[in-house]
Each structure stands twice: as structure tokens, then as C-alpha cells.
Amino acid sequence: REVEYISSLFFDDQSKFQQSFINAVSSDQWSDRLDLSTPDITGSNAILNTRLALSRMANEPTVEGLMWLDIGKVARKGGLYQVAEHSLTQANVSFCKQLNERASTENSISSSARESIGNIKLQVAKLKHAIGESMTALKLIEDDIPASIFTMDEKQLKSYVSSETTAESGEAIARRILQATEWMVCDGLKSSSEIKDRYQTVLKLAPNWEKAHFNYAKFLDALFETRIKQMADKAREEYSSMSEEQKRKDNIRAFAIRTIEVCQEYLLGSVQHYGMALQMGQKHVYQALPRLLAMWLEFTSLETEEVCVDDNIKDFSGQNAHLRKNQELMNEVIKSFASEIPE
């Protein structure tokens, strides 16, 4: 099928061959067929091997590099790390060949070349992490990303990405930062405020990226649950002194959500980014949608009542006003998502 798909191009107008070949390999059909294939025990794949041969016949090192990159990704996910390392090395060679060919005729690096550079760095870092070299992977993935990038506003980030010293697109940088951030969250290598800055930088670089919004929502969700647990444990002794009537009206979790403003901020932020992820795609719908609805229903069902934990805490009028305000805001957010999320 691959040969049939491409062979006709070799007999067409050769002046348009290069662009026609690139359009063919960038099509959805080309991508979908690869998704249906599986590698054998050696990491080989008949479709990818055929595509490699075709790209060499067409003298397209960039396409050849993308093929090697796909082989490397498939091999890494299948635990074939030596095959993945060899494939990524070959991909790098192909991309460097293309860059060297264009260097003599072009003064700047094309956007596709910049994207390829970022993809190679990201895949090599993932391979290092998979074989247990976590710190090497983190260093590699952020080797040339300045620490100041996490304090830049959108205008400064745009200027940084478009500068001649930056060899990658904003989306490629965002992918690298997001992957490193996920590893840092899992290993507890950064404080929550630093992690939030990193996620916000990713969203500034790639504001329409579904995965970035979903992962940030999960992080805020985790902060929300952790804070609830901490405060509930702390309040457990005080809460135990309540009368039976008060206990029937409330519970520790509801008390913590009602009275801790930062928990409400985490909850609102999480719901907002779950909703934005759903607006941008359906990849995470079975994770994001149930959690979004559960958080919304739990939060808006809280009643604004005064609860006395002890003799020194009796007036919750200020907290109730803040709770009502945030509940109204939550309903507005859900209403806006209901009209914008595709069916």
C-alpha cells in the first residue's frame, strides 16, 4: 500500500515532486496506517521500513528523519531501548544532513527544522528517563532553556521564541518543559509554586494545547485534595467536640472546603482547566469530564451555614460570602463550558 501510494508521484512533474511527497507523508491516511501497525520482537515494522526506503529514493532526509523518529518512539514504548537509541541517532543524522544542505542557501533555520530539533531532544530525554537516568534526562530536556523563562510574560516569551538564538518553536519548547515538569511532580523535585510557574509558562507558549491544560488541572486537583486532607487531619480533634446535631449538618471535608479559601482557588482553577482541555479535544474526556462534574457538584452543593467548631470560632459570615461568590463563579464557568464543549 505504501508503494502504491507514493509510486505515482515519481512519474509526475518533477518540479513539484518534493512538495507533493511532503504533502503525501503529512496526510492523515499516512499517519492512520502507522497507528494500526505493530512492531515485531526486534522493533522492526514493515510499514516504517518501506517508508524509509521511499524517503531515501525521494532524497528527502527530513522525511527519513521523521521515519527514524517514529521507529525510535515505538521501540521505546515497547521497551526496546537499544533499538530506540539507534533509531534516534539515525534521525539526528538525517536532520543534521538536511540542516547542512540548507545552511548554504538559507540564512535562517526553518520552522520545520526547529520542530525536528526539539523532537529529537525530547525523545532522547524520554529514553534516558526510561532506562533510569532521570537526572540526565532532566538536564538534557532543559539544557538550553533559561531559568528566566518561567518569569516571562507573554510578550517576553514571544520575543524569546522569535529571537535568532532560539533554535526551536514555542510549541517544541512547551513540550520539553511540560515533560520535565511531569517528572519533577512525580519525584517531588520542585515546590508547588515553582511547578505552577512552569505550567503557566507552558500554557503561555502553547495556549491551545489540550494535554497542557489537562495536566495542569490534574496538578491543581492534587493540590486541592492534599490541602483538604492536611486541614481535615488538623481539624479532626476540634471537630470531634461538635454536638451530634452539628455533625449531621456537616463533615470534615465539607468544613475544610467551606472555610479554606486556597482550597476553593485550587478547585476553581482545576475545573477551569479541565473544561478548557475538553474544549480543545476529546483525548482526555473520560478522565476530565467525570472529575469536572464531581468537583462542581460537590462544591456547589455546600450550604453557607455558620458552623461553630469551638467557642473562639463562631462567625463565618465573611467565609460564607466568599463561598457564595465562588459558587456563583463556578456555575458561570460550567455554563460557559456547556455551550462551547463539542458534542
Side-chain angles (χ1 to χ4, degrees):
R1 186 68 184 90
E2 305 302 296
V3 175
E4 291 176 358
Y5 192 69
I6 297 296
S7 60
S8 60
L9 300 179
F10 287 93
F11 302 99
D12 293 339
D13 185 355
Q14 293 302 299
S15 63
K16 300 179 180 179
F17 172 79
Q18 183 182 36
Q19 188 58 49
S20 297
F21 184 80
I22 293 175
N23 291 340
V25 301
S26 302
S27 66
D28 292 337
Q29 290 180 339
W30 185 271
S31 176
D32 292 343
R33 282 199 300 277
L34 181 61
D35 292 338
L36 295 174
S37 66
T38 55
D40 59 26
I41 58 174
T42 65
S44 180
N45 184 303
I47 290 181
L48 284 173
N49 290 339
T50 303
R51 292 180 179 184
L52 276 174
L54 291 171
S55 63
R56 288 169 179 167
M57 290 172 62
N59 193 27
E60 280 294 331
T62 299
V63 176
E64 181 182 347
L66 292 173
M67 296 302 100
W68 280 117
L69 190 61
D70 284 335
I71 293 173
K73 289 163 63 176
V74 171
R76 174 182 58 79
K77 292 178 180 179
L80 303 172
Y81 300 136
Q82 290 184 338
V83 175
E85 184 176 10
H86 170 74
S87 301
L88 293 176
T89 300
Q90 292 296 323
N92 191 47
V93 170
S94 298
F95 290 139
C96 288
K97 179 182 177 181
Q98 181 70 0
L99 289 175
N100 289 335
E101 290 178 355
R102 293 185 178 181
S104 58
T105 58
E106 300 179 7
N107 295 325
S108 60
I109 301 176
S110 66
S111 59
S112 61
R114 298 165 76 191
E115 192 77 10
S116 299
I117 292 171
N119 285 335
I120 286 290
K121 289 182 178 180
L122 179 59
Q123 292 304 320
V124 172
K126 286 183 176 182
L127 177 60
K128 293 293 184 182
H129 191 270
I131 62 179
E133 299 180 15
S134 301
M135 298 311 296
T136 302
L138 282 172
K139 186 177 185 305
L140 179 63
I141 208 171
E142 293 193 316
D143 189 38
D144 54 355
I145 296 177
S148 59
I149 195 173
F150 303 113
T151 60
M152 294 181 182
D153 56 28
E154 293 183 8
K155 184 177 180 180
Q156 291 171 323
L157 282 172
K158 185 176 181 180
S159 177
Y160 168 75
V161 172
S162 61
S163 66
E164 294 182 358
T165 57
T166 305
E168 298 174 68
S169 65
E171 291 76 10
I173 296 173
R175 280 195 294 271
R176 288 206 283 150
I177 294 175
L178 181 64
Q179 183 60 76
T181 302
E182 291 300 298
W183 291 338
M184 290 174 181
V185 170
C186 291
D187 297 336
L189 299 178
K190 296 285 185 179
S191 67
S192 60
S193 60
E194 290 174 306
I195 295 296
K196 287 175 66 177
D197 289 341
R198 295 175 69 88
Y199 275 119
Q200 289 167 5
T201 298
V202 171
L203 292 172
K204 291 174 187 175
L205 290 167
N208 297 322
W209 189 12
E210 176 191 357
K211 182 178 179 180
H213 284 284
F214 176 72
N215 286 5
Y216 188 34
K218 283 202 305 180
F219 174 70
L220 293 176
D221 193 351
L223 289 181
F224 166 71
E225 292 294 342
T226 299
R227 188 62 184 271
I228 289 293
K229 185 178 184 303
Q230 290 174 344
M231 297 306 295
D233 290 343
K234 182 179 179 180
R236 196 173 301 277
E237 292 183 2
E238 295 178 344
Y239 190 81
S240 63
S241 65
M242 287 183 178
S243 66
E244 291 301 320
E245 182 180 356
Q246 290 171 330
K247 289 181 180 181
R248 285 194 297 270
K249 293 180 179 179
D250 208 345
N251 58 61
I252 295 176
R253 180 179 174 85
F255 172 75
I257 297 174
R258 178 184 291 115
T259 58
I260 304 171
E261 294 183 7
V262 70
C263 288
Q264 298 176 25
E265 293 174 6
Y266 290 150
L267 188 148
L268 282 167
S270 182
V271 166
Q272 184 176 20
H273 286 282
Y274 276 136
M276 294 179 74
L278 290 170
Q279 286 180 316
M280 295 168 189
Q282 303 299 310
K283 185 176 181 180
H284 303 98
V285 63
Y286 295 111
Q287 296 168 281
L289 185 58
R291 184 57 182 152
L292 180 151
L293 293 175
M295 297 176 80
W296 168 51
L297 293 172
E298 178 182 32
F299 184 56
T300 54
S301 66
L302 294 177
E303 298 179 0
T304 54
E305 298 177 353
E306 292 187 2
V307 178
C308 179
V309 175
D310 58 34
D311 293 337
N312 298 320
I313 306 177
K314 295 182 179 179
D315 186 7
F316 284 81
S317 58
Q319 292 173 340
N320 283 339
H322 190 77
L323 175 63
R324 284 192 294 269
K325 180 180 178 181
N326 282 336
Q327 287 175 328
E328 292 172 1
L329 179 58
M330 174 76 79
N331 286 327
E332 291 176 5
V333 169
I334 294 297
K335 184 178 180 179
S336 67
F337 288 150
S339 61
E340 295 178 13
I341 293 176
E343 296 182 359

